[in-house]
Amino acid sequence: MDSCLASSEKGKVVLTRVLMYTTGFCPYCLFVKRLFDDLHVPFQEVRVDLDPEKRREMIEVSQRQTVPQVFVGDRHIGGCDDTQDAARSGQLKIWLEEVGIYV
């Protein structure tokens, strides 16, 4: 898993250090995306409902079958509850700072 991912945003290349595996119909995925949006932290979203190979990839790297699965750099944060807990405790901010994202 690369700690820096390239994505495009409005014609620009944006380096993202947050990756999340999601589906389009998961309310927990929407909650986690909103959390990162509120923090103004860019993320790369991988929709596993649109690509079965990406679902297999998610299971392999996270050892979990549920969505969302969130990564900050090379660190697997986990699902929605794990990400919320990390945000509440302040640990998420520390992990983001470790990969060069300051919130």
Side-chain angles (χ1 to χ4, degrees):
M1 175 121 324
D2 292 332
S3 60
C4 227
L5 303 159
S7 62
S8 64
E9 183 176 289
K10 297 180 184 171
K12 299 178 192 174
V13 173
V14 178
L15 293 179
T16 57
R17 293 172 176 88
V18 176
L19 170 72
M20 65 180 75
Y21 291 93
T22 67
T23 65
F25 49 84
C26 168
Y28 302 107
C29 297
L30 294 174
F31 185 87
V32 170
K33 290 192 298 186
R34 190 173 312 122
L35 171 72
F36 283 99
D37 284 342
D38 289 348
L39 294 173
H40 304 289
V41 172
F43 57 87
Q44 179 180 2
E45 179 180 11
V46 177
R47 292 272 306 269
V48 300
D49 57 329
L50 301 176
D51 186 343
E53 183 56 39
K54 293 298 183 183
R55 179 175 290 279
R56 284 188 285 281
E57 174 185 286
M58 177 195 76
I59 293 168
E60 182 179 322
V61 297
S62 71
Q63 298 299 303
R64 297 188 184 179
Q65 297 184 23
T66 59
V67 290
Q69 291 303 318
V70 178
F71 291 81
V72 174
D74 292 333
R75 181 184 309 274
H76 177 231
I77 305 304
C80 183
D81 289 344
D82 303 313
T83 306
Q84 282 183 276
D85 291 346
R88 275 194 291 273
S89 72
Q91 188 62 54
L92 181 61
K93 182 178 178 183
I94 293 168
W95 290 331
L96 290 169
E97 288 174 355
E98 287 175 354
V99 297
I101 299 172
Y102 299 92
V103 292

